[in-house]
Amino acid sequence: MALSFQKQEQRLLMASAAVMATVGAAGIGTGLASGSQAILTDGIFSAVAVIIKLLMLGTSRLIAKETSVRFQFGYWQMEPLVLFTEGAFTLLIVVIAAAAGLAGLAGGGREMDFGLAVWFALFFEGMSASFYFYLKRANRTLQSNLVHFDNVSWYVDMMLAGGLLLSFSAAWALEETAYASWSRYADPLIMLALSLHMIRPALRILVPSFRQMLGVAPEDVHARVQQVMDESMAQYGFADYVSSVQQYGHTKIIEIDILVGEGCSAKTVAEFDAIRDTIDRALGYPAHQKWLTINFTGARRWMARDYLLDA
C-alpha cells in the first residue's frame, strides 16, 4: 500500500534530521579537535538545522490534521513561518561566518590540523551530496514544499563540504612547500568565501516564505482561477464572479463568489453542487494542496472585492 503524501513527507524529513544530526555531531567534534573554526561553525549550523528540520516535521504533522478548534482554517500558515525561520537562520550563519573570516584574516590566520580536516571534509561531502540527490529524486514525484526547501540546506552543505575539501587539501599540500606560512590563512579565507556563496540559497528560502507570510497573492494561481472561471461564465451563463487567492507552501487557498443572474442554467442545489465539482476538477490542484470555497449568490453585495493583479 502506497504511503500518503504526508507520511512520505514526514519520513523524508525525519531521515533528513537524523542524517543532519550525525553530520553536526561529527562537525563539532572535528572542529574542536582540528582547530578549524570553519568546521566548528558548520557543525553548530548543522546542529541547529536539526531543530529546524524537526520543526518542519511537526509542521507537516499539523498540516495533516487539517483543522482544529483553535485553528479552524488549518495549519498551512505554519509552513512559511518555519521556512522563514530556516532562511533567517541561514542568513545569520552567513553573517557570523563572514565576520569570523574577516577577524581571522585580520588576526594573522589560524593554525590547524589539515589532515584531520581533509578527512572530515571527505566524510561531509559524501554524506551531503548523497542525501541531497536522494531527496531531490524522492521529491520529483512527491512535490513537497517542505522537502524542497529542506533540500536547499543540503545543497548549501554540499557546496560547503566541496569548498572545505578543496581548500583544506590545497593548504595541506602547501605545508610541504616554502609557502607553508600561507596555510594559516586557509581557514578564514574559506569562511569568508563560503559565507558569500551561502547568501543566494538563504534568499531563495527567505523571499518566497516572507511573501507567503504577508499573504501576497500568487500570480499563477490567480491566472489559473480566472481562466477556469471565464470558461465557466460562458458555459453556465453566470452574470459575474470574483476570485481571491492565497498560497502557503504548495497549499492554495481559493475563494470564488459567483453572481448567478437570471441567465444561469442551474436551478437546484444539486445542479450547483455539480458545477462546484466541475470547477474543482478544472482547477486541477491535488486535494491535499487546495482549500476551495465556491459561493453562489444572487446579490452583488455578498461578493468580495474584485482584484486584477495586472491592473
Side-chain angles (χ1 to χ4, degrees), residues 88-228:
F89 169 69
T90 303
L91 197 60
L92 176 63
I93 292 297
V94 168
V95 174
I96 293 173
L102 290 172
L105 289 175
R110 186 177 300 109
E111 293 285 353
M112 57 172 290
D113 183 350
F114 288 108
L116 182 58
V118 167
W119 284 112
F120 170 77
L122 276 170
F123 163 77
F124 188 21
E125 177 68 10
M127 294 285 283
S128 300
S130 59
F131 208 79
Y132 167 75
F133 288 110
Y134 167 70
L135 280 184
K136 186 176 182 179
R137 184 175 64 254
N139 205 37
R140 282 175 184 167
T141 53
L142 187 62
Q143 294 293 302
S144 162
N145 198 54
L146 285 172
V147 172
H148 168 73
F149 283 107
D150 175 57
N151 211 25
V152 171
S153 68
W154 281 109
Y155 172 80
V156 171
D157 273 356
M158 183 176 67
M159 293 296 103
L160 175 61
L164 291 175
L165 181 59
L166 290 174
S167 302
F168 287 149
S169 297
W172 195 13
L174 201 64
E175 284 191 317
E176 305 302 321
T177 70
Y179 303 97
S181 60
W182 290 98
S183 64
R184 295 175 53 87
Y185 295 97
D187 196 55
L189 279 173
I190 294 170
M191 293 277 286
L192 190 58
L194 293 176
S195 66
L196 295 175
H197 179 76
M198 289 167 63
I199 292 176
R200 186 169 174 267
L203 294 178
R204 281 174 58 194
I205 300 174
L206 270 176
V207 173
S209 59
F210 186 61
R211 286 173 60 87
Q212 290 183 5
M213 286 172 60
L214 291 179
V216 177
E219 295 183 10
D220 58 333
V221 179
H222 176 82
R224 177 63 180 162
V225 173
Q226 295 281 302
Q227 176 190 350
V228 170

Side-chain angles (χ1 to χ4, degrees), residues 280-304:
D280 184 20
R281 289 193 299 271
L283 289 173
Y285 302 115
H288 65 269
Q289 295 181 2
K290 176 173 53 183
W291 180 293
L292 176 63
T293 303
I294 301 177
N295 302 311
F296 296 96
T297 180
R300 190 175 291 275
R301 68 189 182 92
W302 291 112
M303 300 175 69

Side-chain angles (χ1 to χ4, degrees), residues 12 28-29 48 66 82 85 93 98 100 102 144 177 227 270 273 279:
L12 290 173
I28 292 173
V48 179
E66 295 186 353
V82 170
T85 302
I93 292 297
L102 290 172
S144 162
T177 70
Q227 176 190 350
D273 282 341
I279 293 173

Side-chain angles (χ1 to χ4, degrees), residues 228-248:
V228 170
M229 288 311 302
D230 286 344
E231 295 170 356
S232 298
M233 282 273 291
Q235 181 177 356
Y236 299 109
F238 298 140
D240 198 5
Y241 75 89
V242 171
S243 65
S244 303
V245 297
Q246 199 168 336
Q247 184 166 333
Y248 296 115

